[in-house]
Amino acid sequence: MAVGQVLLVLLAASTVSATKDLLLNVCMDAKHHKSKPGPEGLLHGQCSPWKDNACCTANTSSEAHRDQSYLYSFNWNHCGVMPPKCKRHFIQDTCLYECSPNLGPWIDKADSSWRRERILHVPLCKEDCEEWWEDCKDSVTCKENWHKGWNWATGTNSCPWGSMCRPFSHVFPQPADLCEKIWSNSYKYTTEHRGSGRCIQMWFDPAQGNPNVLVAKHYAWKKRSSPARMKNVTPAETGKAVCALPWPALVPLPLALLMLP
């Protein structure tokens, strides 16, 4: 019984460590993402903060700035021209989604023909969400959820038949409505502030480093060390943990077993 307890403690610790690493510095399996993050010195415009370590290519970053790019054939101007002060937030949103290697704790399986993974409930900083809403509240759209329900008859998204173009402030009465609903709960509104280490920033100064690195580490540790998580560790993950158990942890194992009563 005691031997089993020692093994369980060691395996649990190594499982947390090994699985946590799978959530850090990773790219999701989606349409335009690289398989692994790395330097991209020529990232365009608003995507440039990720140039030192990115999941996007320079071409993807350039297309992210176009009104209607080849990335998803999505037209921001489906209800008339989107004002620049609003559009810049959607560009930044696209840059974060395509380029960030720090979204691992929120990667989830996607039920889609064009991607295998998506992000879900990424905790967005209060300022990022509220500034997005403030700059877009007078812009116009015909849909609440931009992930689905469009008319694609022309090859690009158009408003569904019978829908009306309305101000964002009517479609999304509060900042949380915009950030959470527009991309099927990809983001979660939080009251955490930029620099807190508890929320993802769409906007940051690369000269000060990428604050989302520490945020991802915090949530990876929190997610993988929770009691519920350890209770549901699968045999496959346990096998990976044994392989991932570092040599310094294996060396004292026989000694620990000998010392058991």
Side-chain angles (χ1 to χ4, degrees):
M1 184 68 176
V3 173
Q5 289 176 337
V6 169
L7 287 173
L8 183 60
V9 169
L10 288 172
L11 288 176
S14 61
T15 299
V16 170
S17 177
T19 313
K20 181 178 68 174
D21 290 342
L22 296 177
L23 299 177
L24 300 176
N25 197 38
V26 295
C27 302
M28 72 184 87
D29 186 356
K31 189 173 183 179
H32 301 291
H33 289 70
K34 293 157 51 177
S35 59
K36 295 181 180 179
E40 290 286 342
L42 298 176
L43 291 190
H44 182 71
Q46 291 178 218
C47 295
S48 62
W50 287 274
K51 65 182 178 64
D52 291 338
N53 193 35
C55 288
C56 63
T57 63
N59 191 47
T60 296
S61 71
S62 180
E63 288 293 321
H65 291 71
R66 294 169 60 91
D67 285 341
Q68 186 174 331
S69 75
Y70 84 91
L71 294 180
Y72 305 101
S73 298
F74 196 90
N75 181 18
W76 305 122
N77 303 320
H78 52 269
C79 275
V81 177
M82 179 180 284
K85 71 174 184 177
C86 177
K87 186 170 67 174
R88 72 187 189 98
H89 290 277
F90 284 95
I91 293 173
Q92 199 71 10
D93 159 51
T94 303
C95 289
L96 175 69
Y97 171 78
E98 299 289 350
C99 302
S100 177
N102 308 123
L103 301 174
W106 306 280
I107 291 177
D108 198 20
K109 296 298 181 184
D111 182 15
S112 173
S113 61
W114 54 274
R115 61 178 180 178
R116 294 182 179 181
E117 294 178 331
R118 59 163 298 184
I119 50 174
L120 186 66
H121 299 146
V122 174
L124 200 60
C125 292
K126 177 183 174 71
E127 296 91 340
D128 290 74
C129 184
E130 293 186 352
E131 289 174 12
W132 189 357
W133 184 86
E134 185 66 31
D135 286 345
C136 291
K137 65 181 180 182
D138 297 323
S139 299
V140 185
T141 186
C142 56
K143 281 181 52 56
E144 180 183 76
N145 188 334
W146 286 16
H147 259 156
K148 56 187 179 181
W150 296 99
N151 180 349
W152 291 94
T154 62
T156 188
N157 58 302
S158 300
C159 293
W161 184 85
S163 63
M164 295 178 58
C165 291
R166 297 181 293 152
F168 269 52
S169 58
H170 292 183
V171 179
F172 309 107
Q174 301 294 329
D177 296 317
L178 170 62
C179 299
E180 295 181 354
K181 295 178 180 179
I182 199 164
W183 298 127
S184 305
N185 295 303
S186 291
Y187 298 120
K188 180 177 69 174
Y189 174 81
T190 75
T191 56
E192 302 288 352
H193 294 281
R194 292 173 182 166
S196 66
R198 299 294 183 267
C199 60
I200 291 292
Q201 294 181 210
M202 286 202 299
W203 303 87
F204 61 90
D205 179 2
Q208 304 298 320
N210 185 341
N212 296 328
V213 174
L214 291 179
V215 178
K217 287 182 178 179
H218 169 76
Y219 282 97
W221 176 84
K222 185 176 180 180
K223 183 175 183 179
R224 296 311 188 188
S225 62
S226 67
R229 168 63 185 167
M230 296 315 302
K231 182 179 180 180
N232 295 313
V233 170
T234 65
E237 289 173 319
T238 302
K240 291 180 182 178
V242 172
C243 295
L245 198 61
W247 176 249
L250 290 173
V251 171
L253 181 56
L255 181 59
L257 296 179
L258 290 172
M259 294 177 65
L260 291 172

